[in-house]
Amino acid sequence: MARGGSSAGGASIWPWLAWAVVIFLADQFTKVLILGYYKLGDATYITSFFNIVRAHNTGAAFSFLANAGGWQRWAFTGIGLAAAVFIIWQLRAHPGQKLFCFSLSSILGGAIGNVVDRMQHGYVVDFLDFHLSGRHFPAFNIADSAITVGAVCLILDELLRVKRSK
């Protein structure tokens, strides 16, 4: 992945790692609260479209491979750790590219949050539960939200890079 102007005169990786840590801590703190105050399946109805619920996800996004027999815990843990190493390598290579690094550090914080869950519990703790007009979205957490925002911003960064190169 070639990126023009990869280093902005002395830009540092540390602010990006700090952002990843903030996401990780917020994710873990909210999960500790859910694990401490809710039993599996317990829910608090907040609005007509949003609930707080304790759910366990042994799979990936949208419970993909949740019933695969257990091997997926280690596969997703390995993928998360490999992604973290790759992201840190990219952050070191391009610390001055703000949107790119924001994207990657958001994904990093979320990925590590979910890896810690898999290692500690064997599942990811989910609790944000949205539904609308009879349609239900799978429960998710702060880590998943950060990964999603990071992925959207990464796509935006690439679209802006392509536009600038024309």
Side-chain angles (χ1 to χ4, degrees):
M1 177 186 323
R3 306 202 55 87
S6 64
S7 182
S12 172
I13 187 175
W14 295 110
W16 306 120
L17 293 178
W19 177 241
V21 168
V22 166
I23 290 169
F24 170 77
L25 291 175
D27 176 64
Q28 292 299 296
F29 177 72
T30 54
K31 289 173 179 175
V32 165
L33 291 175
I34 294 301
L35 291 170
Y37 290 102
Y38 288 77
K39 293 179 184 156
L40 181 61
D42 283 354
T44 301
Y45 300 95
I46 308 295
T47 70
S48 62
F49 64 91
F50 173 67
N51 307 316
I52 301 291
V53 64
R54 179 171 167 181
H56 298 169
N57 183 359
T58 57
F62 308 111
S63 297
F64 176 68
L65 295 176
N67 297 317
W71 63 265
Q72 72 277 22
R73 172 187 185 183
W74 303 110
F76 295 139
T77 297
I79 291 167
L81 293 173
V85 169
F86 178 76
I87 288 169
I88 291 170
W89 175 60
Q90 287 296 301
L91 290 172
R92 288 188 57 173
H94 310 288
Q97 295 183 18
K98 293 179 181 173
L99 183 57
F100 180 68
C101 289
F102 171 81
S103 304
L104 289 182
S105 59
S106 296
I107 294 168
L108 177 63
I112 296 299
N114 284 341
V115 163
V116 166
D117 276 15
R118 289 184 199 290
M119 302 273 304
Q120 188 173 14
H121 307 295
Y123 54 82
V124 173
V125 177
D126 289 328
F127 57 90
L128 300 170
D129 184 40
F130 288 89
H131 47 92
L132 183 63
S133 301
R135 294 188 177 174
H136 185 257
F137 193 77
F140 58 99
N141 57 44
I142 302 296
D144 298 335
S145 300
I147 291 167
T148 301
V149 167
V152 168
C153 289
L154 196 58
I155 292 166
L156 177 61
D157 177 68
E158 184 62 16
L159 291 173
L160 292 172
R161 188 187 68 77
V162 168
K163 184 178 178 182
R164 282 190 305 265
S165 70
K166 287 186 177 184

